[in-house]
Amino acid sequence: MDTPHQTNSETLKVLEAYWHDLRGPKTLPERRAIDPTRIDAALPYSFILERVAPGVGRLRVSGQKINDLMMMEARGMPLSMLFEPTERDRLQTFVEACFADPAIVELSLTTQRGLSRPKFTGRLLLMPLAGVNGIPTRALGAIVTEGIQGRSARRFSIEGPAPVRHEKINMAPMQAFDQALYAGERKRPTQRPALRLVVDNDRD
């Protein structure tokens, strides 16, 4: 059985606090800035997601708990493999929101129950990371679970009609200032060249 719910909540809080610490006042954290030793307790639940198409993310790095959920090496697999086929369109919308807005996205997860499938729930957290020119191309994420997975891989569904959390990252004030400054530099009038006296010695 996984760790208690409070411990799971703290795992996500620790990971998000680290993301905010890396971020600074106006930029997104870069992938290369992540130090695994700083998130040791959260590492088994964590992953790095790479945006390969609109709404589609592939796991580039995955902790052991993520591998356990898939019952295989998760690295290189799409995040959607952890979800029921009927849920993958919804997941795509939320993944794209993380990259495009950009936004912190946190979802409540559940699984189908049956005689050999006991209650098994979880939470997914996605936080964007900056790529080339500051554009989000990767995300730092984690999945924490509660309950008994069983001997086979379980596929998640997303609880509720909307994400529990969809928090847009506001970098607009500083970006607007930078853009205005850049525009001002471009529009600054150039100095007119001095007039030159041209003598035409061939004139009669």
Side-chain angles (χ1 to χ4, degrees):
M1 186 170 181
D2 274 349
T3 50
H5 179 71
Q6 182 62 38
T7 301
N8 289 341
S9 298
E10 289 176 354
T11 296
L12 297 185
K13 288 178 181 178
V14 166
L15 193 63
E16 183 175 341
Y18 177 65
W19 180 88
H20 280 289
D21 186 49
L22 288 178
R23 181 190 168 193
K26 67 171 184 176
T27 59
L28 294 175
E30 295 184 356
R31 162 67 181 90
R32 62 184 179 181
I34 295 176
D35 180 1
T37 63
R38 294 278 306 278
I39 52 173
D40 186 62
L43 204 57
Y45 306 90
S46 303
F47 57 83
I48 298 293
L49 192 69
E50 181 184 15
R51 184 181 186 269
V52 295
V56 179
R58 191 174 300 278
L59 297 166
R60 304 306 301 173
V61 178
S62 61
Q64 186 56 50
K65 292 291 186 179
I66 307 301
N67 297 337
D68 292 344
L69 288 173
M70 284 194 176
M71 294 287 188
M72 61 184 295
E73 173 63 49
R75 185 175 57 182
M77 304 297 292
L79 181 64
S80 60
M81 286 290 293
L82 285 164
F83 290 78
E84 295 284 356
T86 55
E87 292 289 292
R88 291 173 185 175
D89 285 345
R90 292 182 66 199
L91 175 67
Q92 184 172 331
T93 299
F94 300 139
V95 170
E96 184 59 16
C98 173
F99 290 115
D101 285 341
I104 297 173
V105 174
E106 188 174 349
L107 306 172
S108 294
L109 309 177
T110 188
T111 58
Q112 294 181 356
R113 299 177 64 180
L115 292 177
S116 60
R117 292 173 174 267
K119 183 178 180 180
F120 190 60
T121 61
R123 295 190 70 82
L124 167 67
L125 176 67
L126 294 173
M127 299 172 291
L129 299 172
V132 179
N133 298 325
I135 298 173
T137 56
R138 286 173 172 77
L140 174 63
I143 295 177
V144 294
T145 60
E146 183 177 359
I148 301 173
Q149 178 176 341
R151 296 183 178 180
S152 61
R154 303 285 291 273
R155 298 288 181 259
F156 290 109
S157 296
I158 301 168
E159 285 190 333
V164 173
R165 183 179 176 199
H166 176 202
E167 183 180 323
K168 290 187 178 182
I169 299 164
N170 184 11
M171 298 186 296
M174 289 302 299
Q175 287 182 338
F177 175 78
D178 291 342
Q179 290 172 357
L181 181 63
Y182 176 67
E185 290 291 336
R186 292 188 62 188
K187 294 179 180 179
R188 181 178 296 173
T190 57
Q191 185 178 1
R192 296 179 63 182
L195 295 176
R196 293 186 300 160
L197 177 63
V198 178
V199 179
D200 186 356
N201 293 322
D202 293 333
R203 185 176 179 179
D204 292 336

